[in-house]
């Protein structure tokens, strides 16, 4: 069934006989999340405009215009919104995922500030491995062999700390 | 077929000209590098290469195709969780790079732009490199079962490392590259273990393996484009020019970080500047991680960090050259 879904998105499936697919997407659950993922992957590979350079600006304006975005769970329950347009909900999910990630980072920073406010002595560079700077450098360096290969390692290290 | 014929003629030409005289040797070396820069972008090939930095090694499967002037590449990192469907996949189309990065129950999609990935490590325009390096024709060697011509890039000063580049004598493709310090110790190495030219024009490989049980999410690090102008870099090491200036969100940082990227054509250095947030510890000193030198300073209430695959002198010089204009910086 997922193969059929993929084919439907690629325009390689007869829409007239796809009613069972549409129904299963609308009923939510695994097929719906599948539908969202396939579209997100497609957007990323095509360089879709929703993922362009001013993406973050649009996230921020969407945040202002749509306070309910802050509670994606609640929005999920909003059946009327969902039935309105699958396309709209697709955009919405790309944005909601990013907003959730931003909130998560924000919380991490808050926690760090609370715990480290006492000791203000500088950290000697030799004692730490500043992976975030190395990753950011390698991500932007014009000749990059290291970035996508090494970052795997960086993530494992930081998760293990 | 035409491309193959072109590659053969060009290699015949360069090999013949090697024997002319020693004065032409440097020109020949640059010609081989020029051909390598083009071959990596124009040829269709598939192979496995190994990247080593410090004590780490990774192998990567690459498929590259030039589809009527449009470059398509897929890199599959082979070491991590290939069996469990956890392998990282990297796709590039022209200058757009999309990375599928599995992490626990999620697959994070990262987007990048305009990097010269292996084997296209050399810029097409070699002119900037000629300011800072001397190119020298070295020995003949074998890499991945293929005959290769070694070209050495020797720095003219102490602000960069030297490079050794192996190029396929038949196709001109860069097949191996090493980064060496002034004691000729190898810091970084990237080399094909096997490589084959592709005859097919089938593009079916250019699609990610989709794992329907995973959540796909875009990465949260979104680049911003506001640019502060209250700081300046007085003097760069010779040969380095600013190639980019971005503001970005780094995991765990509340305010965006300014990142300036400097390059001499092949080596690159990033300069990070961020206001020091009350209650966080600043960083000072320097460290070597693999082939990467890092140097941290505090200047006028800003944390300054310089990072690059360059000698310590280069990152230190750039970090000392940062100064801030008179008016006190406001973060907004």
């Amino acid at each position: 069934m997922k193969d059929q879904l993929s084919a439907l998105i690629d325009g390689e499936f007869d829409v007239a006989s796809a009613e069972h697919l549409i129904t299963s997407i609308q009923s939510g659950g695994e097929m719906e999340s599948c539908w969202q993922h396939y579209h997100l992957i497609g957007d990323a590979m095509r360089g879709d405009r929703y993922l362009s350079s001013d993406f973050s600006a649009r996230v921020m304006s969407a945040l202002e215009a749509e306070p309910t975005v802050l509670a994606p769970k609640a929005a999920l329950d909003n059946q009327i919104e969902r039935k309105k347009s699958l396309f709209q909900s697709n955009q919405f999910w790309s944005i909601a995922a990013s907003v959730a990630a931003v909130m998560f980072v924000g919380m991490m920073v808050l926690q760090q500030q609370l715990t480290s406010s006492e000791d203000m002595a500088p950290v000697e560079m030799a004692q730490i491995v500043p992976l975030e700077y190395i990753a950011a450098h390698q991500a932007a360096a014009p000749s990059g062999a290291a970035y996508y290969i090494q970052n795997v390692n960086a993530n494992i290290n930081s998760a293990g700390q | 077929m035409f491309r193959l014929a072109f590659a053969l003629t060009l290699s015949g030409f360069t090999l013949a000209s090697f024997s002319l005289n020693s004065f032409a040797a440097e020109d020949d070396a640059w010609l081989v590098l020029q051909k390598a820069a083009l071959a990596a972008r124009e040829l269709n090939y598939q192979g496995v290469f190994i990247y080593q930095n410090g004590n780490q090694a990774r192998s990567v499967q690459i498929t590259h195709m030039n589809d009527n002037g449009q470059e398509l590449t897929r890199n599959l990192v082979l070491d991590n969780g290939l069996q469990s469907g956890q392998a990282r996949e990297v796709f590039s189309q022209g200058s757009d790079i999309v990375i599928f990065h599995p992490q626990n129950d999620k697959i994070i999609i990262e987007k990048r732009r305009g990097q010269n990935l292996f084997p296209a490590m050399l810029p097409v325009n070699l002119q900037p490199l000629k300011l800072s390096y001397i190119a020298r024709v070295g020995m003949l060697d074998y890499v991945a079962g293929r005959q290769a011509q070694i070209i050495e890039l020797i720095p003219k000063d102490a602000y960069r490392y030297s490079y050794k580049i192996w190029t396929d004598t038949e196709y001109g493709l860069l097949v191996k590259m090493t980064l060496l310090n002034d004691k000729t110790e190898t810091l970084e190495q990237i080399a094909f273990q096997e490589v084959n030219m592709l005859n097919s024009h089938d593009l079916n490989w250019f699609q990610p393996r989709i794992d329907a049980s995973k959540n796909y999410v875009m990465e949260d690090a979104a680049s911003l484009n506001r640019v502060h102008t209250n700081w300046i870099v007085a003097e760069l090491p010779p040969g380095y020019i600013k190639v980019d200036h971005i503001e970005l969100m780094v995991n765990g940082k509340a305010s965006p970080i300014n990142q300036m990227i400097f390059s001499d054509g092949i080596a690159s250095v990033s300069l990070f500047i961020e206001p020091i947030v009350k209650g966080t510890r600043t960083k000072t000193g320097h460290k070597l991680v693999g082939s990467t030198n890092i140097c941290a300073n505090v200047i006028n209430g800003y944390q300054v960090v310089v990072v690059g695959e360059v000698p310590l002198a280069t990152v230190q010089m750039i970090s000392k050259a940062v100064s801030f204009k008179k008016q006190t910086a406001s973060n907004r």
Side-chain angles (χ1 to χ4, degrees):
Chain A
M1 193 129 129
K2 279 170 189 162
D3 291 342
Q4 294 179 350
L5 190 66
S6 172
L8 180 67
I9 289 168
D10 293 341
E12 291 165 0
F13 196 84
D14 182 15
V15 181
S17 57
E19 201 173 331
H20 67 290
L21 289 174
I22 308 290
T23 314
S24 69
I25 293 162
Q26 284 176 327
S27 67
E30 197 191 352
M31 285 301 276
E32 194 209 9
S33 61
C34 227
W35 173 260
Q36 310 291 0
H37 292 160
Y38 287 1
H39 272 294
L40 184 60
I41 292 160
D43 289 350
M45 294 293 286
R46 279 190 303 272
D48 196 84
R49 63 196 177 96
Y50 291 109
L51 307 173
S52 60
S53 58
D54 60 337
F55 178 62
S56 63
R58 259 185 278 108
V59 172
M60 295 321 283
S61 62
L63 244 180
E64 274 173 41
E66 181 81 272
T68 53
V69 164
L70 287 168
K73 258 283 188 209
L76 178 68
D77 296 334
N78 188 345
Q79 297 288 334
I80 304 155
E81 181 66 30
R82 218 158 44 128
K83 278 179 187 162
K84 221 194 254 172
S85 156
L86 278 168
F87 254 109
Q88 280 183 359
S89 72
N90 187 35
Q91 285 176 28
F92 166 79
W93 276 108
S94 319
I95 294 168
S98 303
V99 170
V102 169
M103 280 176 67
F104 178 68
V105 171
M107 278 161 61
M108 294 287 287
V109 172
L110 259 174
Q111 280 182 343
Q112 274 180 6
Q113 286 181 0
L114 286 175
T115 51
S116 65
S117 55
E118 306 235 319
D119 192 356
M120 301 284 284
V123 186
E124 182 55 38
M125 210 61 179
Q127 293 165 5
I128 54 167
V129 183
L131 288 172
E132 69 273 27
Y133 289 104
I134 298 174
H137 162 66
Q138 290 173 346
S143 286
Y147 174 64
Y148 62 90
I149 304 170
Q150 245 191 352
N151 197 20
V152 177
N153 228 24
N155 281 307
I156 288 166
N157 287 348
S158 58
Q161 274 166 5
Chain B
M1 254 357 255
F2 166 73
R3 265 185 210 125
L4 203 141
F6 171 74
L8 284 171
T9 347
L10 197 56
S11 77
F13 169 63
T14 47
L15 283 178
S17 55
F18 283 154
S19 52
L20 283 179
N21 57 51
S22 59
F23 295 109
E26 167 137 28
D27 286 344
D28 286 338
W30 286 115
L31 202 58
V32 174
L33 295 179
Q34 183 67 66
K35 195 179 140 199
L38 294 175
R41 292 165 174 92
E42 290 178 0
L43 297 176
N44 300 336
Y45 48 88
Q46 185 165 49
V48 173
F49 63 86
I50 296 181
Y51 170 75
Q52 288 170 276
N53 185 345
N55 55 1
Q56 301 168 10
R58 289 271 174 276
S59 52
V60 178
Q61 186 202 62
I62 183 170
T63 309
H64 175 276
M65 217 174 252
N66 189 311
D67 184 39
N68 294 318
Q70 167 93 299
E71 266 193 88
L72 301 170
T73 314
R74 187 189 68 174
N75 282 292
L76 181 65
V77 181
L78 296 174
D79 298 283
N80 282 63
L82 191 63
Q83 305 87 341
S84 53
Q86 292 278 310
R88 171 178 286 216
E89 280 186 292
V90 182
F91 291 85
S92 67
Q93 181 164 13
S95 61
D96 289 317
I97 301 171
V98 181
I99 303 167
F100 291 88
H101 170 210
Q103 215 174 33
N104 304 323
D105 58 338
K106 284 192 305 237
I107 293 184
I108 296 166
I109 306 173
E110 299 180 30
K111 302 203 82 178
R112 297 280 176 262
R113 272 191 69 82
Q115 284 189 299
N116 299 324
L117 302 177
F118 181 82
M121 307 287 285
L122 296 163
V124 175
N125 177 13
L126 294 173
Q127 219 52 45
L129 280 182
K130 294 181 183 177
L131 293 174
S132 309
Y133 299 88
I134 294 163
R136 193 181 287 166
V137 179
M139 314 268 283
L140 283 174
D141 195 4
Y142 283 86
V143 174
R146 301 198 54 87
Q147 193 184 53
Q149 173 66 56
I150 301 177
I151 303 291
E152 291 171 272
L153 275 181
I154 299 149
K156 292 181 180 174
D157 58 30
Y159 292 110
R160 60 214 96 231
Y161 292 134
S162 64
Y163 297 81
K164 228 168 157 179
I165 293 158
W166 283 252
T167 66
D168 189 299
T169 50
E170 185 181 355
Y171 297 109
L173 188 66
L174 187 157
V175 286
K176 178 175 172 180
M177 184 158 115
T178 58
L179 180 65
L180 305 123
N181 66 12
D182 57 348
K183 299 182 193 75
T184 63
E185 296 164 334
T186 301
L187 303 172
E188 203 179 309
Q189 171 171 315
I190 190 157
F192 274 116
Q193 196 177 36
E194 54 172 88
V195 60
N196 293 297
M197 294 297 142
L198 289 174
N199 288 320
S200 113
H201 290 277
D202 170 29
L203 289 173
N204 280 342
W205 54 271
F206 194 73
Q207 52 186 339
R209 303 169 174 194
I210 297 169
D211 183 347
S213 68
K214 297 279 164 61
N215 277 315
Y216 284 78
V217 292
M218 290 300 294
E219 67 171 330
D220 54 287
S223 290
L224 305 171
N225 291 315
R226 291 177 297 118
V227 172
H228 292 275
T229 52
N230 63 321
W231 51 279
I232 45 173
V233 185
E235 196 186 353
L236 287 170
Y240 285 88
I241 55 161
K242 186 177 96 176
V243 292
D244 212 349
H245 183 179
I246 51 179
E247 287 201 346
L248 74 164
M249 300 301 299
V250 171
N251 276 351
K253 306 282 181 192
S255 50
I257 296 176
N258 263 274
Q259 182 179 11
M260 263 197 180
I261 298 119
F262 307 104
S263 175
D264 69 356
I266 189 161
S268 56
V269 185
S270 284
L271 163 66
F272 298 93
I273 295 188
E274 60 192 290
I276 293 166
V277 180
K278 253 193 174 176
T280 56
R281 293 178 72 182
T282 55
K283 301 174 189 72
T284 56
H286 57 84
K287 180 160 191 158
L288 179 68
V289 180
S291 59
T292 308
N293 261 307
I294 304 148
C295 162
N297 265 334
V298 174
I299 303 172
N300 281 18
Y302 284 85
Q303 174 79 63
V304 174
V305 179
V306 185
V307 181
E309 287 71 38
V310 293
L312 181 60
T314 313
V315 289
Q316 281 181 331
M317 180 169 176
I318 292 174
S319 89
K320 280 176 192 150
V322 176
S323 64
F324 292 86
K325 288 178 187 167
K326 271 280 159 63
Q327 78 266 26
T328 356
S330 62
N331 295 343
R332 288 293 120 198

